[in-house]
Amino acid sequence: MSKSVLIAAPGSQREVATLFVAFELSKATWLLGLYSPELGNTVSRHRVDGGDLGGALERIAAAKRRLAKAGRPVRVVSVYEAGYDGFWLHRALTAAGVENRVVDAASIPVDRRARRAKTDRLDLELLIRMLLALERGETRICRVVRVPTPAEEDAKRQHRERGVLISERTAHSNRITGVLMALGIRGVNPRRRDFADHLETLATATGEALPPQTKKALAREHERLSLLDRQIKEIEVAQAAAIKAAAANESEPTDAGRAGVVPEGSAAQAAALIRLNGIGQTGAVTLSREVFYRRFDNRREVASYFGLTPSPFQSGNTHVDQGISKAGNPRARTLAIELAWLWLRHQPQSALTRWFLERVGSATGRIRRIRIVALARKLMIALWRYVTTGQIPEGAGIKPA
């Protein structure tokens, strides 16, 4: 155990003693910082093996016993940065009676000098200072992460796995195409079912048969490609079954053009989204499980989560528009832009499409790309209102039942 420098602390409460705990996490070791005004103006540091939750709780319990000697109940609050350990530690600490916060590491303010000293000890002190500020009510000192429930976290695995499999499938297809192109063979679809048999009929650009080792390598590559196709299909079938089951219980829209409030649950939200023209199964599932399972208080929070909010730079006479912040969920932001383009094609009568065309007109290129980002922001806000209140976007077309 070691001691660090003094840290300014808020006045201690008379009724409850508070123990502040910070975790500096790594794979090999965890560094704990313990601080309380009743124990002095220093931060005590303790090192335990990485993942040793029992050892960390023992250090916390020992500090609690020291505080409890004053005859007051002890409250424990802790903080750590979101990272490799995920959220299991948060749930374990909460179950142990610790009020834990997980903070976004990118939102932590740091010294902006050219060469900033960075050590685990300094990072630990910074986390303690942030925790003290949060306890004082300074909510803008950093961004506290909303921890999903185990069910919400598990629901994301399916569509994220599909994205990984599709990337791998593309890589396998490109490798097969590249090997064939190197032999002067063009126009072969690597995903055709009879690809292995088709290899026997192929000849190089000089009329020679495929080299034997190249043929075997292409056959093995196609086997891996076929496996990925089957796994992607299994995921898509499971998604479709969940959406179909949820759609059976979904209420129909009224004559006033408003549907009933969408039931809670990602499958129900996906079933509601997929009824809109221009939104398919993949987009509906991703939006429901990545974005709309969360609670947003207003449209600004929705746009901020997508990273589609403006980031102006204004200082004195300098006024520069730096574009969108891109500080939100990159997976959701990419999908939002894709859905905005699809919305223009499949929802030509909607108010959002008319808004876009009135401002873009016949312009092409950069102007359209800038405006499509604005359309994506408006579209995501409209879809958020749709899944939370049932308000269908103005002029939007609905797929037949």
Side-chain angles (χ1 to χ4, degrees):
M1 185 188 78
S2 58
K3 302 282 187 178
S4 71
V5 297
L6 298 177
I7 285 187
S12 59
Q13 303 176 8
R14 295 183 178 180
E15 298 80 8
V16 179
T18 303
L19 175 64
F20 300 92
V21 183
F23 290 84
E24 180 64 23
L25 307 177
S26 67
K27 293 182 182 179
T29 60
W30 286 358
L31 188 64
L32 275 71
L34 305 177
Y35 169 75
S36 178
E38 287 79 1
L39 297 178
N41 292 325
T42 59
V43 175
S44 62
R45 299 190 302 275
H46 307 265
R47 192 177 298 273
V48 299
D49 294 335
D52 186 7
L53 177 63
L57 292 179
E58 287 178 5
R59 304 296 194 282
I60 295 173
K64 286 181 64 177
R65 287 193 293 269
R66 293 173 57 192
L67 282 174
K69 293 179 180 179
R72 290 184 294 168
V74 180
R75 170 174 169 259
V76 182
V77 295
S78 64
V79 66
Y80 71 88
E81 296 175 310
Y84 191 79
D85 278 282
F87 300 120
W88 75 267
L89 179 58
H90 169 83
R91 300 184 183 111
L93 291 172
T94 302
V98 179
E99 300 176 28
N100 184 68
R101 293 182 177 90
V102 184
V103 298
D104 180 5
S107 69
I108 299 176
V110 297
D111 193 340
R112 295 186 296 172
R113 289 180 293 184
R115 291 187 177 180
R116 177 176 67 90
K118 184 185 186 304
T119 64
D120 289 344
R121 178 181 61 83
L122 295 177
D123 289 346
L124 200 66
E125 293 176 12
L126 181 58
L127 285 173
I128 288 287
R129 289 191 178 97
M130 282 200 318
L131 186 57
L132 293 171
L134 289 171
E135 284 294 303
R136 290 194 299 265
E138 300 180 24
T139 56
R140 291 183 177 270
I141 189 67
C142 63
R143 293 184 177 88
V144 178
V145 176
R146 179 198 181 278
V147 178
T149 65
E152 292 171 343
E153 191 172 12
D154 182 66
K156 296 179 181 181
R157 301 296 179 191
Q158 192 180 56
H159 68 270
R160 290 183 176 183
E161 180 192 5
R162 179 183 178 275
V164 172
L165 294 177
I166 287 179
S167 298
E168 293 179 359
R169 184 178 68 181
T170 301
H172 287 300
S173 297
N174 290 344
R175 277 195 290 269
I176 292 175
T177 301
V179 171
L180 293 176
M181 285 288 292
L183 298 174
I185 302 174
R186 289 172 166 80
V188 178
N189 181 11
R191 295 179 60 189
R192 58 185 296 170
R193 295 183 177 181
D194 62 342
F195 179 81
D197 297 331
H198 187 59
L199 284 177
E200 303 295 337
T201 65
L202 295 179
T204 64
T206 57
E208 301 173 352
L210 291 180
Q213 297 304 322
T214 300
K215 188 185 301 183
K216 293 178 181 179
L218 289 173
R220 287 190 292 266
E221 192 81 35
H222 182 262
E223 289 179 3
R224 294 191 288 271
L225 181 62
S226 300
L227 173 62
L228 290 171
D229 279 330
R230 291 195 299 271
Q231 291 179 341
I232 292 171
K233 186 64 176 178
E234 290 175 2
I235 293 175
E236 292 176 346
V237 169
Q239 290 175 344
I243 292 175
K244 184 177 180 180
N249 299 324
E250 186 181 359
S251 59
E252 295 294 330
T254 62
D255 295 337
R258 293 175 58 88
V261 177
V262 177
E264 294 184 358
S266 60
Q269 291 180 343
L273 288 169
I274 208 170
R275 294 180 59 235
L276 297 173
N277 293 337
I279 300 181
Q281 176 176 304
T282 300
V285 170
T286 304
L287 281 179
S288 62
R289 294 180 176 177
E290 283 285 344
V291 184
F292 295 139
Y293 77 95
R294 301 168 59 96
R295 179 181 178 274
F296 299 102
D297 293 330
N298 51 61
R299 59 186 177 86
R300 292 182 179 85
E301 291 186 1
V302 177
S304 178
Y305 184 76
F306 281 94
L308 296 174
T309 53
S311 53
F313 181 90
Q314 298 180 359
S315 178
N317 294 327
T318 303
H319 298 271
V320 179
D321 184 4
Q322 302 179 109
I324 58 175
S325 66
K326 295 186 179 181
N329 187 325
R331 185 180 287 103
R333 181 169 58 256
T334 300
L335 177 62
I337 302 298
E338 293 175 355
L339 290 179
W341 288 114
L342 292 172
W343 190 267
L344 294 178
R345 180 186 303 174
H346 298 283
Q347 297 281 7
Q349 305 301 321
S350 69
L352 290 175
T353 302
R354 295 197 303 270
W355 174 89
F356 178 86
L357 296 177
E358 288 173 0
R359 283 155 178 78
V360 173
S362 59
T364 59
R366 183 172 180 270
I367 298 300
R368 292 181 69 87
R369 292 195 299 270
I370 292 175
R371 287 296 182 183
I372 202 66
V373 175
L375 176 64
R377 181 179 185 274
K378 288 180 173 292
L379 176 59
M380 293 304 105
I381 293 172
L383 295 181
W384 165 67
R385 289 172 175 158
Y386 170 59
V387 298
T388 54
T389 67
Q391 178 182 354
I392 298 176
E394 182 181 352
I398 302 293
K399 298 172 185 174

